[in-house]
Amino acid sequence: MQAAIDEARCGLAEGGIPIGSVLVHQGRIIGRGHNRRVQCGSAILHGEMDAFESAGRQPAQVYRESVLYTTLSPCAMCSGAILLYGIPRVVVGENRTFMGEEALLGARGVSVEVLQDETCIVLMREFISAQPQLWNEDIGV
């Protein structure tokens, strides 16, 4: 999770939204990313999507053996990618500031662990307080 938090801080330092993610296969990070919608003018570069993109093309078996760590509960788009690639386990930093599609993931057999990590909570609360319009844009409000 610390690597995902580091990614979130990187995104914030770049003027973006502080959400980070890493994709781990057999104990090794194979993809890392952070929300880069602002930095890249992208409609889809959430932290999880950036981590998938960073990992590049992988054999299906690699995804089925991987764990995705993300600082914030995954939205519908990112959850769709998790399901599409068959990621069996997702570790979430926190879901107090935003509850994503954890129920959908669980219903489809994905193991979801929520840490309620204080660092993740503070990062998001401070960002949402300082930039509510940008946050609302990111979640489609």
Side-chain angles (χ1 to χ4, degrees):
M1 182 54 67
Q2 187 58 54
I5 292 169
D6 293 344
E7 285 292 325
R9 287 187 172 132
C10 182
L12 184 62
E14 293 172 353
I17 298 165
I19 303 168
S21 184
V22 293
L23 185 62
V24 177
H25 179 253
Q26 297 180 346
R28 185 176 66 85
I29 295 173
I30 61 170
R32 58 177 60 236
H34 51 273
N35 187 304
R36 295 188 312 136
R37 289 184 67 253
V38 173
Q39 300 91 311
C40 295
S42 172
I44 62 169
L45 273 181
H46 283 187
E48 299 91 338
M49 303 300 277
D50 196 34
F52 279 123
E53 184 69 15
S54 168
R57 290 178 59 201
Q58 297 292 328
Q61 187 64 31
V62 169
Y63 293 119
R64 289 193 297 266
E65 297 171 346
S66 293
V67 178
L68 183 74
Y69 292 82
T70 182
T71 58
L72 188 65
S73 185
C75 73
M77 174 179 66
C78 296
S79 294
I82 291 164
L83 294 173
L84 177 67
Y85 291 108
I87 304 298
R89 181 169 175 240
V90 177
V91 180
V92 176
E94 68 103 348
N95 64 5
R96 290 183 184 162
T97 58
F98 176 78
M99 173 61 79
E101 298 297 329
E102 294 170 29
L104 170 65
L105 292 171
R108 297 282 299 272
V110 177
S111 170
V112 179
E113 178 184 357
V114 182
L115 303 178
Q116 301 305 8
D117 181 89
E118 194 62 29
T119 300
C120 296
I121 294 167
V122 169
L123 269 171
M124 286 311 301
R125 283 190 177 155
E126 289 178 355
F127 176 79
I128 291 168
S129 176
Q131 303 253 10
Q133 185 175 3
L134 185 54
W135 169 244
N136 288 333
E137 174 190 320
D138 194 66
I139 60 171
V141 174

